[in-house]
Amino acid sequence: MAVKFGAKSTTEDVLAGVNLKGKRILVTGVSAGLGVETARALVAHGADVVGAARDLEKAQRATSEVSKAAAETGASFEVVELDLASQKSVRTAADKLITDGRLFDVIIANAGVMATPFGKTEDGFETQFGTNHLGHFVFVNRIAKLIKNGGRLVNLSSSGHRFSNVDLNDPNFETTPYEPFVAYGRSKTANILFAVAFDQRHRERGVRAVAVHPGGIQTELARHMEQAHMEQMINQINEQAAAAGKGPFEFKTIPQGAATSVWAAVVAPADEVGGRYCENCHVSDVVADDARLGLLDEGVRGYAVDPQNAVALWKKSEEMIGEAFA
């Protein structure tokens, strides 16, 4: 019988007894938090990992423990430059990997930003949509042929997808008043829809895609949030929890937060997670778009896993970046 994991499971829990020697895995966002722990856990179990980060010096400092773990297991770890807010950087990074030619068993699209002030990427896209979705959309699609048959794509999303569906008529907030968490929600919904569409397009060769929510963790992701706002949100969560007879909110540790990414990447059965949204190391139920949910409740909104919505987003994304993918 398969072992069941949950919200408190760590990367070491889900990888207990798992030998990843011979696996090659790409992880974006290895300069802090979840990306570093994800890479560390994978190399500690023998996987060769390629980390991607915008700031190479910062990433190299942050991943000293990853390099140490790789040396202990005989795995390899390297870092490549990737700025998801720059289509030029994304294409350059993808081209270098294609020229290198080595295949990947898994791509974990972990990097992202949250609740940023209004701004645009160098290509004119709203910062969160442009970085979290369009950056990964182009990068992953350009190197899709490097994913081995039977491989996987893991997109990090968030329960924040419940803040908003994508807006394909105004993705850059040109006519809509900007709200940081609405923009974050749009980008996190897009991460799920990208996984749904990618899974549909590549499953014939056994490549499956899944979106995951890591949970609430204290990382650099929240650097744009004021402390007072963070405390207000936690108080609101706890009030909702108390009203529902639940205990107070607890942040996950970083190893607990990275567990669902690792579980979905190399532990869970492909047919179980392909095209789905997962949290707390299991597949989430689909909830109605208008269902009232507390921030501690599980579930994925129907709009985020709707195949037609996924196709429409794919088409809009291609139009925005001026490139089509098979």
Side-chain angles (χ1 to χ4, degrees):
M1 186 173 71
V3 178
K4 287 192 175 182
F5 303 108
K8 293 186 179 297
S9 298
T10 66
T11 48
E12 290 308 311
D13 292 333
V14 301
L15 289 177
V18 176
N19 184 352
L20 298 175
K21 201 161 189 66
K23 300 286 187 183
R24 189 164 185 260
I25 300 174
L26 173 64
V27 182
T28 69
V30 296
S31 59
L34 295 178
V36 174
E37 170 59 18
T38 299
R40 186 210 62 78
L42 294 170
V43 299
H45 287 262
D48 296 322
V49 172
V50 176
R54 179 181 60 83
D55 186 334
L56 288 183
E57 288 187 8
K58 180 181 177 182
Q60 285 160 356
R61 290 194 302 271
T63 55
S64 59
E65 292 300 316
V66 182
S67 298
K68 188 184 299 182
E72 290 173 356
T73 61
S76 67
F77 175 68
E78 60 181 299
V79 181
V80 298
E81 186 175 358
L82 171 67
D83 181 356
L84 290 164
S86 163
Q87 290 287 304
K88 180 180 179 181
S89 173
V90 166
R91 290 178 167 93
T92 297
D95 289 347
K96 287 180 179 178
L97 292 172
I98 291 168
T99 298
D100 177 80
R102 287 178 290 169
L103 303 182
F104 293 100
D105 294 274
V106 182
I107 295 174
I108 301 177
N110 165 84
V113 294
M114 181 179 78
T116 60
F118 180 72
K120 293 186 177 181
T121 68
E122 67 177 46
D123 302 285
F125 307 127
E126 185 276 314
T127 299
Q128 297 186 75
F129 191 80
T131 303
N132 296 348
H133 170 57
L134 291 176
H136 278 126
F137 180 79
V138 174
F139 182 64
V140 171
N141 274 317
R142 280 207 157 202
I143 62 173
K145 63 185 178 182
L146 295 181
I147 304 176
K148 293 179 183 176
N149 291 347
R152 295 189 198 181
L153 166 66
V154 178
N155 283 348
L156 263 76
S157 181
S158 168
S159 62
H161 78 273
R162 301 193 306 229
F163 291 132
S164 178
N165 192 357
V166 291
D167 185 341
L168 303 185
N169 294 316
D170 185 27
N172 293 319
F173 286 87
E174 292 169 337
T175 60
T176 309
Y178 181 76
E179 294 288 346
F181 275 101
V182 170
Y184 181 65
R186 290 183 184 185
S187 72
K188 294 291 103 178
T189 294
N191 291 149
I192 304 170
L193 291 171
F194 177 32
V196 170
F198 193 90
D199 183 81
Q200 188 65 45
R201 286 168 175 252
H202 293 273
R203 66 173 62 180
E204 280 189 10
R205 63 185 186 97
V207 173
R208 306 306 301 268
V210 52
V212 302
H213 167 46
I217 311 116
Q218 289 182 299
T219 70
E220 284 190 9
L221 187 66
R223 62 186 175 273
H224 296 290
M225 290 184 65
E226 294 181 0
Q227 184 63 31
H229 188 193
M230 178 74 77
E231 291 173 358
Q232 182 181 3
M233 282 188 65
I234 293 173
N235 288 337
Q236 181 184 355
I237 292 170
N238 286 336
E239 288 173 6
Q240 291 175 347
K246 299 177 181 178
F249 170 77
E250 293 181 10
F251 280 111
K252 285 187 178 186
T253 66
I254 290 177
Q256 288 172 340
T260 302
S261 301
V262 171
W263 172 81
V266 298
V267 176
D271 289 339
E272 178 181 324
V273 298
R276 309 292 291 277
Y277 169 92
C278 302
E279 57 192 327
N280 296 327
C281 299
H282 65 81
V283 175
S284 301
D285 292 332
V286 179
V287 295
D289 293 351
D290 60 354
R292 292 191 65 180
L293 294 173
L295 291 174
L296 291 181
D297 293 329
E298 294 187 354
V300 57
R301 293 290 189 194
Y303 57 68
V305 290
D306 182 300
Q308 291 182 320
N309 204 18
V311 169
L313 173 65
W314 189 289
K315 181 179 178 182
K316 181 65 176 181
S317 300
E318 289 181 329
E319 290 174 1
M320 292 178 72
I321 54 92
E323 187 171 359
F325 300 102

